[in-house]
Amino acid sequence: DGIEDHYDLDDDGDGFSDLVEIAYPSDPRDAGSVANLPPDHLWVAGNSNLSIAENEANGSVLGILSASDPDANSTLSFSLVDGNGSTGNNYFTLEANGTLRIVSSFNYEESQSVYSIRVRVSDEHNFSLEDSFLVNLINLNEYPSRPFTSDALNFIENNLPGAEIVRFESSDQDLNSSLVFDLPEHNGTDFSIDTNGTLHAVRPFDFETDDSNFSIIIRVTDEGNLSSQSEILIHLLNAVEDLDGDGVE
């Protein structure tokens, strides 16, 4: 009848009824003119950077994606898609509501520090907008290991003052960490330790008059003031002292 009204279903076959297009308004006789616009902006909620600290638990949330759409009451859903800037997608999951999570925990010392993801936001008519984002991995200072040694924990009596007894070590996951050793609960009258972990006898020891076992605490501290410690039992050994030469001490 030459009049566009509710009796006409979808003259241009664009998926929107003539009635909807007239109300929008768009041209019901032009398939290129539809009653919908795609989302027009995609961002991280709070306008914050996407970042996650190492050692966070599997599935931890690192950010929320948001989007806007010029059409009122649009229903928007988010997803990760392949394309330019999607090389880091496999390390993350993105829920339809925009919640971005890590798949598994990161170790800064064994991972790259920056990841790129590509995000798509789609409306209920599958009109979409895509953009890429960078995710930064944050390094944390980690505790050094408890002091340890592969050497024997003993020394022989009649030692010289300052004699070296044993060398302690520690490991730290942080690259180029600076470790310092000390004896936090020792008064320094029997033993001392160099900052590199070398334990010394401060004075001469006598098996016949001194204790034969000494319990000491060895502490190691990194440049961030994180520390670990071990309780070590040092054994004093007897030296045969045959002063009269009769073969008996």
Side-chain angles (χ1 to χ4, degrees), residues 79-133:
S79 61
L80 294 174
V81 293
D82 292 332
N84 186 32
S86 66
T87 55
N89 282 11
N90 291 339
Y91 297 94
F92 307 94
T93 61
L94 181 58
E95 299 172 7
N97 64 5
T99 302
L100 185 65
R101 300 178 183 271
I102 62 173
V103 172
S104 58
S105 181
F106 289 98
N107 183 342
Y108 187 89
E109 287 70 31
E110 299 176 356
S111 307
Q112 62 194 71
S113 59
V114 180
Y115 298 83
S116 180
I117 60 172
R118 188 168 185 84
V119 176
R120 173 186 292 161
V121 58
S122 304
D123 66 16
E124 68 273 23
H125 300 294
N126 209 33
F127 284 41
S128 64
L129 172 68
E130 296 182 10
D131 202 355
S132 59
F133 298 87

Side-chain angles (χ1 to χ4, degrees), residues 155-246:
F155 67 106
I156 299 175
E157 65 170 332
N158 303 326
N159 57 282
L160 294 175
E164 180 178 326
I165 298 175
V166 66
R167 171 79 178 272
F168 290 94
E169 301 177 66
S170 175
S171 60
D172 196 313
Q173 292 190 60
D174 297 311
L175 300 178
N176 304 314
S177 185
S178 178
L179 302 179
V180 174
F181 293 81
D182 73 317
L183 304 177
E185 300 180 9
H186 197 70
N187 59 16
T189 58
D190 293 330
F191 303 98
S192 67
I193 194 168
D194 296 339
T195 56
N196 67 3
T198 303
L199 185 70
H200 298 271
V202 171
R203 60 176 177 83
F205 284 81
D206 185 347
F207 186 83
E208 285 70 33
T209 59
D210 283 311
D211 293 333
S212 58
N213 296 304
F214 300 86
S215 178
I216 59 176
I217 302 296
I218 310 291
R219 179 171 62 189
V220 61
T221 306
D222 69 12
E223 69 279 9
N225 207 36
L226 294 181
S227 64
S228 300
Q229 60 186 39
S230 298
E231 184 173 5
I232 304 297
L233 191 63
I234 303 292
H235 306 283
L236 177 60
L237 303 181
N238 186 33
V240 175
E241 300 169 295
D242 184 11
L243 300 180
D244 57 8
D246 63 358

